[in-house]
Coordinates of all heavy atoms in Angstrom, one line a residue:
I1 N 3.2 2.5 -6.0 CA 3.1 1.5 -7.1 C 3.2 2.3 -8.4 O 2.5 3.4 -8.6 CB 1.8 0.7 -7.0 CG1 1.7 -0.3 -8.1 CG2 0.6 1.6 -7.0 CD1 0.7 -1.4 -7.9
S2 N 3.9 1.8 -9.4 CA 4.1 2.5 -10.7 C 2.9 2.2 -11.5 O 2.4 1.1 -11.6 CB 5.3 2.0 -11.4 OG 5.4 2.4 -12.7
G3 N 2.4 3.3 -12.2 CA 1.3 3.1 -13.1 C 1.6 2.4 -14.4 O 0.7 2.0 -15.1
R4 N 2.9 2.3 -14.7 CA 3.4 1.7 -16.0 C 3.7 0.3 -15.9 O 3.2 -0.6 -16.6 CB 4.5 2.5 -16.5 CG 4.2 3.9 -17.0 CD 5.3 4.6 -17.7 NE 4.9 5.9 -18.3 CZ 5.7 6.7 -19.0 NH1 7.0 6.3 -19.2 NH2 5.3 7.8 -19.5
D5 N 4.6 -0.1 -14.9 CA 5.1 -1.5 -14.8 C 4.7 -2.2 -13.6 O 5.0 -3.3 -13.3 CB 6.6 -1.5 -15.0 CG 7.4 -0.8 -13.9 OD1 6.8 -0.3 -13.0 OD2 8.6 -0.6 -14.1
R6 N 3.9 -1.5 -12.7 CA 3.4 -2.0 -11.4 C 4.5 -2.4 -10.4 O 4.2 -3.2 -9.5 CB 2.5 -3.2 -11.7 CG 1.3 -2.9 -12.5 CD 0.3 -2.0 -11.7 NE -0.9 -1.8 -12.4 CZ -1.1 -0.7 -13.2 NH1 -0.2 0.2 -13.4 NH2 -2.3 -0.6 -13.8
S7 N 5.7 -1.9 -10.6 CA 6.7 -2.1 -9.6 C 6.3 -1.4 -8.3 O 5.5 -0.4 -8.3 CB 8.1 -1.6 -10.1 OG 8.0 -0.2 -10.3
T8 N 6.7 -1.9 -7.2 CA 6.2 -1.4 -5.9 C 7.4 -1.1 -4.9 O 8.5 -1.7 -5.1 CB 5.3 -2.4 -5.2 OG1 6.0 -3.7 -5.1 CG2 4.0 -2.6 -6.1
Y9 N 7.1 -0.3 -4.0 CA 7.9 -0.1 -2.8 C 7.1 -0.2 -1.5 O 5.9 0.2 -1.5 CB 8.5 1.4 -2.9 CG 9.0 1.8 -1.5 CD1 10.3 1.5 -1.1 CD2 8.2 2.6 -0.7 CE1 10.8 1.9 0.2 CE2 8.7 3.0 0.6 CZ 9.9 2.6 1.0 OH 10.4 3.0 2.2
Y10 N 7.7 -0.8 -0.5 CA 7.1 -0.9 0.8 C 8.1 -0.5 1.9 O 9.3 -0.9 1.8 CB 6.6 -2.3 1.1 CG 5.4 -2.8 0.3 CD1 5.6 -3.5 -0.9 CD2 4.2 -2.4 0.6 CE1 4.5 -4.0 -1.6 CE2 3.1 -2.8 -0.1 CZ 3.3 -3.6 -1.2 OH 2.2 -4.0 -2.0
L11 N 7.7 0.3 2.8 CA 8.5 0.5 4.0 C 8.7 -0.8 4.7 O 7.8 -1.6 4.8 CB 7.7 1.5 4.9 CG 8.3 1.9 6.2 CD1 9.5 2.8 6.0 CD2 7.3 2.6 7.1
D12 N 10.0 -1.0 5.2 CA 10.3 -2.3 5.8 C 9.4 -2.7 6.9 O 9.0 -3.9 6.9 CB 11.7 -2.2 6.3 CG 12.8 -2.3 5.3 OD1 12.5 -2.6 4.1 OD2 14.0 -2.0 5.6
S13 N 8.9 -1.8 7.7 CA 8.1 -2.1 8.8 C 6.7 -2.6 8.4 O 5.9 -3.1 9.3 CB 8.0 -1.0 9.8 OG 7.4 0.1 9.2
V14 N 6.2 -2.4 7.2 CA 4.9 -2.8 6.8 C 4.9 -4.0 5.8 O 3.9 -4.5 5.4 CB 4.1 -1.6 6.1 CG1 4.2 -0.4 7.0 CG2 4.6 -1.3 4.7
K15 N 6.1 -4.4 5.4 CA 6.2 -5.5 4.5 C 5.5 -6.8 5.1 O 5.8 -7.1 6.2 CB 7.6 -5.8 4.1 CG 8.3 -4.8 3.2 CD 9.7 -5.2 2.9 CE 10.3 -4.1 2.0 NZ 11.8 -4.4 1.7
G16 N 4.7 -7.4 4.3 CA 4.0 -8.6 4.7 C 2.7 -8.3 5.4 O 1.9 -9.2 5.6
R17 N 2.4 -7.0 5.7 CA 1.2 -6.6 6.3 C 0.3 -5.7 5.4 O -0.9 -5.8 5.5 CB 1.5 -5.9 7.7 CG 2.2 -6.7 8.7 CD 2.3 -6.0 10.0 NE 3.0 -4.8 10.0 CZ 2.5 -3.6 10.3 NH1 1.2 -3.4 10.6 NH2 3.3 -2.5 10.2
F18 N 1.0 -4.9 4.7 CA 0.3 -4.0 3.8 C 0.5 -4.4 2.3 O 1.5 -4.9 2.0 CB 0.8 -2.5 3.9 CG 0.6 -1.8 5.2 CD1 0.1 -2.5 6.3 CD2 0.9 -0.5 5.3 CE1 -0.2 -1.9 7.5 CE2 0.6 0.2 6.5 CZ 0.1 -0.5 7.6
T19 N -0.6 -4.2 1.5 CA -0.5 -4.5 0.1 C -1.1 -3.3 -0.7 O -2.2 -2.9 -0.4 CB -1.3 -5.7 -0.3 OG1 -0.8 -6.8 0.5 CG2 -1.2 -6.0 -1.7
I20 N -0.3 -2.8 -1.6 CA -0.8 -1.7 -2.5 C -1.2 -2.3 -3.8 O -0.7 -3.2 -4.3 CB 0.3 -0.6 -2.7 CG1 -0.3 0.6 -3.3 CG2 1.5 -1.1 -3.5 CD1 0.6 1.9 -3.2
S21 N -2.3 -1.7 -4.4 CA -2.8 -2.1 -5.7 C -3.4 -0.9 -6.4 O -3.7 0.1 -5.8 CB -3.8 -3.2 -5.5 OG -5.0 -2.8 -4.8
S22 N -3.6 -1.1 -7.7 CA -4.1 0.0 -8.5 C -5.1 -0.5 -9.5 O -4.9 -1.5 -10.2 CB -2.9 0.7 -9.2 OG -3.4 1.8 -10.0
D23 N -6.2 0.2 -9.7 CA -7.2 -0.1 -10.7 C -7.2 1.1 -11.7 O -7.8 2.1 -11.4 CB -8.6 -0.3 -10.0 CG -9.7 -0.7 -11.0 OD1 -9.6 -0.4 -12.2 OD2 -10.6 -1.4 -10.6
N24 N -6.6 0.8 -12.9 CA -6.5 1.9 -13.8 C -7.9 2.4 -14.4 O -8.1 3.6 -14.6 CB -5.7 1.5 -15.0 CG -4.2 1.4 -14.7 OD1 -3.8 1.6 -13.5 ND2 -3.4 1.1 -15.6
A25 N -8.8 1.5 -14.5 CA -10.2 1.8 -15.0 C -10.9 2.8 -14.1 O -11.6 3.7 -14.5 CB -11.0 0.6 -15.3
K26 N -10.7 2.6 -12.8 CA -11.3 3.4 -11.8 C -10.4 4.6 -11.3 O -10.9 5.4 -10.6 CB -11.7 2.6 -10.5 CG -12.7 1.5 -10.8 CD -13.1 0.8 -9.5 CE -14.2 -0.2 -9.7 NZ -14.5 -1.0 -8.5
K27 N -9.2 4.6 -11.8 CA -8.2 5.6 -11.4 C -8.1 5.7 -9.9 O -8.1 6.8 -9.3 CB -8.6 7.0 -12.0 CG -8.5 7.0 -13.6 CD -8.8 8.4 -14.1 CE -8.7 8.4 -15.6 NZ -8.9 9.8 -16.2
T28 N -8.0 4.5 -9.3 CA -8.0 4.4 -7.8 C -6.9 3.5 -7.4 O -6.6 2.5 -8.0 CB -9.3 3.9 -7.3 OG1 -10.4 4.8 -7.7 CG2 -9.3 3.8 -5.8
T29 N -6.2 4.0 -6.3 CA -5.1 3.2 -5.7 C -5.6 2.8 -4.3 O -6.2 3.6 -3.6 CB -3.8 4.0 -5.6 OG1 -3.4 4.4 -7.0 CG2 -2.7 3.2 -5.1
Y30 N -5.3 1.6 -3.9 CA -5.7 1.0 -2.7 C -4.5 0.6 -1.8 O -3.5 0.2 -2.3 CB -6.6 -0.2 -2.9 CG -7.8 0.0 -3.8 CD1 -7.7 -0.3 -5.1 CD2 -9.0 0.5 -3.2 CE1 -8.8 -0.1 -5.9 CE2 -10.1 0.7 -4.0 CZ -10.0 0.4 -5.4 OH -11.1 0.6 -6.2
L31 N -4.7 0.7 -0.5 CA -3.7 0.2 0.4 C -4.5 -0.6 1.4 O -5.2 -0.1 2.3 CB -3.0 1.4 1.1 CG -1.9 0.9 2.1 CD1 -0.7 0.3 1.2 CD2 -1.4 2.1 2.9
Q32 N -4.3 -2.0 1.3 CA -4.9 -2.9 2.3 C -3.9 -3.0 3.4 O -2.7 -3.4 3.2 CB -5.1 -4.3 1.6 CG -5.7 -5.3 2.5 CD -7.1 -5.0 3.0 OE1 -7.9 -4.6 2.2 NE2 -7.3 -5.2 4.3
M33 N -4.4 -2.7 4.6 CA -3.5 -2.8 5.8 C -4.1 -3.8 6.8 O -5.2 -3.7 7.3 CB -3.5 -1.4 6.5 CG -3.1 -0.2 5.6 SD -2.9 1.3 6.4 CE -4.6 1.6 7.0
N34 N -3.3 -4.8 7.0 CA -3.6 -5.9 7.9 C -2.7 -5.9 9.1 O -1.6 -5.4 9.0 CB -3.6 -7.3 7.1 CG -4.5 -7.4 6.0 OD1 -5.6 -6.8 6.0 ND2 -4.1 -8.1 5.0
S35 N -3.1 -6.7 10.1 CA -2.3 -6.8 11.3 C -1.8 -5.5 11.8 O -0.6 -5.3 12.1 CB -1.1 -7.8 11.0 OG -1.6 -9.0 10.6
L36 N -2.6 -4.5 11.9 CA -2.3 -3.1 12.3 C -1.7 -3.1 13.7 O -2.2 -3.8 14.6 CB -3.4 -2.2 12.1 CG -3.8 -1.8 10.7 CD1 -5.2 -1.3 10.6 CD2 -2.7 -0.8 10.2
K37 N -0.7 -2.2 13.8 CA -0.1 -2.0 15.1 C -0.3 -0.5 15.6 O -0.4 0.4 14.7 CB 1.4 -2.3 15.0 CG 1.8 -3.7 14.5 CD 3.3 -3.8 14.3 CE 3.6 -5.2 13.8 NZ 5.1 -5.4 13.6
P38 N -0.2 -0.2 16.9 CA -0.3 1.1 17.3 C 0.7 2.1 16.6 O 0.3 3.3 16.4 CB 0.0 1.0 18.8 CG -0.5 -0.3 19.2 CD -0.1 -1.2 18.0
E39 N 1.8 1.6 16.3 CA 2.8 2.5 15.6 C 2.4 2.8 14.2 O 3.1 3.7 13.6 CB 4.2 1.9 15.7 CG 4.3 0.5 15.2 CD 4.3 -0.6 16.3 OE1 3.5 -0.4 17.3 OE2 5.0 -1.5 16.3
D40 N 1.4 2.2 13.7 CA 0.9 2.6 12.3 C 0.0 3.8 12.4 O -0.4 4.3 11.3 CB 0.1 1.4 11.7 CG 1.0 0.2 11.4 OD1 2.1 0.4 10.9 OD2 0.5 -0.9 11.7
T41 N -0.3 4.3 13.6 CA -1.2 5.4 13.7 C -0.7 6.7 13.1 O 0.5 7.0 13.2 CB -1.5 5.7 15.2 OG1 -2.2 4.6 15.8 CG2 -2.2 7.0 15.4
G42 N -1.5 7.4 12.4 CA -1.1 8.6 11.8 C -2.1 9.1 10.7 O -3.0 8.4 10.4
V43 N -1.8 10.2 10.1 CA -2.6 10.7 9.0 C -1.9 10.1 7.7 O -0.7 10.3 7.5 CB -2.7 12.2 8.9 CG1 -3.5 12.6 7.7 CG2 -3.3 12.7 10.2
Y44 N -2.7 9.4 6.9 CA -2.2 8.8 5.7 C -2.6 9.7 4.5 O -3.7 10.0 4.3 CB -2.7 7.4 5.5 CG -2.0 6.4 6.4 CD1 -2.2 6.4 7.8 CD2 -1.2 5.4 5.9 CE1 -1.5 5.5 8.6 CE2 -0.6 4.5 6.7 CZ -0.8 4.5 8.1 OH -0.1 3.6 8.9

């Protein structure tokens, strides 16, 4: 997610399941991951 215009990119396999967001005041970026699948396993 861009810090300037909030444009986003998602890997095709996670579209509709993952949502990225950013809180500028907290300087924190979040990744909400729903409907997780075994193939999502890994170090992020």
